[in-house]
Amino acid sequence: MKGSLNEMKKMTRIFNGLGTANIVTAVTDNAEKLKKPLDEVQRLVEECDRLWSVYREDSIISKLNRYGYIDEADERTRKIVSDSVMYGRETEGSFDITTLPLNILWKNAIKSKKLPKEEDIEKARKLVGYERIEITERGIRLGEGQKTDLGGIAKGFVLRLASDILLSSGITKGAVNLGGSLRIIGEGEGEIRNPFLSMREFGEQPSVMSISLYDKFMVTSGTYEQEFIKDGVSFHHIINPRTAAPSTSRMRSVTLIGDEPAALDAYATAVFLMEEEKALGLLKAKGIEAVIILNGGEILVTDGIKDKIKLKERIHE
């Protein structure tokens, strides 16, 4: 990229897609040449939203859930479903895209602040099982009665594709932020919000720490995103496929840093279902760095990023 630092300009594009607000920034010496890649990134996100949103009746995922199969699926959809099955296998079922019936039960419970009926939970649990998904030569077939949701992996999957668009256009400094799933291009900082403070308006979420990154992906997930408390117990949206109920781990927030964002999405879910020691061992084996904030405010940090973290305020419950 040509030009002195004084000649560089920061361009930002904000748009909706994948059920969230997305922010793409880039530093350039030529604002005009950046318009095309930014347009491509926005089209990509909006196209994937149309393909995979369970809230759109005409999406390919809604059709798959409605009929149980798709004879002709586009290559991108077959790839993300195939990758999801792979991550299900790698996490021994902790990440599973067939938990949609359970997710709906617990999301309704969170809204109503009433626990689901046991018979409804058991009925939904029997439909869970990524291993029943079949990727055919051109299509996708689910197990009988199954329904799938790509929400747990879509942002990470698209984040890789969006980043590649910017890199191929010659951008060497910037960031792609898809609702908290982040790619830093060049040098930059990732922010981790305080999971014990309520959400503020978009762009003003309280940040508790920053992490210095260089050409890395960062994904954060937390039980605080959707939850209600009953009799002192937190019921939230991160569901354990084995128990058909929200995770009971001590973790409040999990931030993972690495080179493959779809994997980070999948493993963030899996980590919530593990004991801390086992989770840290798994992440080390996979070459993934992590910041895990526990319910009591304790912070677990992997060795590779300990010197890259800057605390902004005290974490408290």
Side-chain angles (χ1 to χ4, degrees):
M1 183 178 293
K2 299 179 180 179
S4 69
L5 288 176
N6 291 333
E7 295 173 329
M8 298 296 183
K9 293 184 179 180
K10 180 179 178 181
M11 291 194 64
T12 300
R13 175 77 62 90
I14 302 175
F15 57 92
N16 293 323
L18 300 174
T20 188
N22 307 288
I23 307 174
V24 183
T25 62
V27 177
T28 180
D29 62 341
N30 185 337
E32 186 59 33
K33 73 178 182 182
L34 191 56
K35 184 178 183 304
K36 181 179 178 181
L38 288 179
D39 286 345
E40 289 181 14
V41 168
Q42 183 169 346
R43 279 197 299 270
L44 167 73
V45 172
E46 292 172 347
E47 177 188 353
C48 290
D49 185 50
R50 287 191 296 271
L51 283 171
W52 303 331
S53 173
V54 296
Y55 302 104
R56 303 174 71 110
E57 290 188 2
D58 60 342
S59 74
I60 192 169
I61 289 301
S62 290
K63 292 176 182 177
L64 177 62
N65 289 338
R66 194 155 54 241
Y67 302 116
Y69 66 92
I70 293 289
D71 285 334
E72 296 285 341
D74 62 282
E75 183 177 351
R76 195 174 283 160
T77 298
R78 292 177 68 256
K79 171 66 173 169
I80 191 174
V81 173
S82 177
D83 284 359
S84 297
V85 171
M86 176 183 68
Y87 292 128
R89 188 164 52 248
E90 287 187 1
T91 62
E92 299 179 345
S94 293
F95 175 78
D96 195 315
I97 60 171
T98 64
T99 58
L100 180 59
L102 281 173
N103 296 344
I104 292 173
L105 272 183
W106 285 104
K107 283 183 179 181
N108 289 337
I110 291 168
K111 289 179 181 179
S112 66
K113 294 181 169 50
K114 294 181 180 178
L115 297 180
K117 296 179 180 179
E118 286 296 328
E119 56 265 34
D120 292 334
I121 294 176
E122 181 60 21
K123 182 179 178 181
R125 186 191 66 79
K126 291 180 178 179
L127 298 176
V128 175
Y130 70 89
E131 66 277 3
R132 292 179 234 168
I133 299 175
E134 180 185 359
I135 312 296
T136 65
E137 185 177 347
R138 294 184 178 179
I140 304 165
R141 184 174 296 273
L142 302 179
E144 185 175 355
Q146 284 190 318
K147 297 186 186 300
T148 187
D149 184 357
L150 300 176
I153 192 174
K155 286 191 293 184
F157 187 91
V158 176
L159 186 57
R160 162 67 72 185
L161 301 176
S163 302
D164 288 347
I165 290 173
L166 295 186
L167 290 170
S168 65
S169 70
I171 301 302
T172 58
K173 184 172 178 58
V176 183
N177 188 334
L178 304 184
S181 293
L182 178 68
R183 166 64 192 262
I184 295 293
I185 300 173
E187 287 186 288
E189 290 191 339
E191 304 282 336
I192 298 179
R193 63 158 297 203
N194 191 324
F196 300 107
L197 298 182
S198 61
M199 290 288 285
R200 298 173 188 170
E201 291 184 1
F202 179 72
E204 297 182 297
Q205 290 102 329
S207 171
V208 73
M209 71 177 75
S210 62
I211 306 177
S212 297
L213 301 173
Y214 186 86
D215 284 337
K216 289 291 182 181
F217 294 94
M218 186 177 98
V219 169
T220 298
S221 185
T223 59
Y224 55 84
E225 294 172 357
Q226 299 177 54
E227 74 169 337
F228 78 100
I229 308 296
K230 182 176 177 62
D231 298 328
V233 178
S234 169
F235 295 93
H236 51 78
H237 73 292
I238 299 177
I239 308 302
N240 186 334
R242 299 181 186 87
T243 64
S247 163
T248 57
S249 81
R250 297 196 302 152
M251 298 176 196
R252 182 73 176 173
S253 167
V254 171
T255 296
L256 301 184
I257 297 164
D259 298 316
E260 181 43 63
L264 298 182
D265 263 352
Y267 276 96
T269 299
V271 163
F272 266 104
L273 310 182
M274 300 178 181
E275 295 294 330
E276 295 96 73
E277 190 172 326
K278 183 177 180 182
L280 290 172
L282 172 67
L283 296 175
K284 183 177 181 179
K286 293 293 181 180
I288 297 173
E289 303 292 346
V291 177
I292 299 173
I293 301 176
L294 303 181
N295 286 329
E298 182 184 356
I299 308 174
L300 306 178
V301 183
T302 54
D303 292 338
I305 56 170
K306 283 184 176 179
D307 62 345
K308 302 181 185 299
I309 290 177
K310 183 188 300 181
L311 286 174
K312 294 187 172 183
E313 62 175 69
R314 184 174 68 88
I315 298 178
H316 57 84
E317 186 172 7

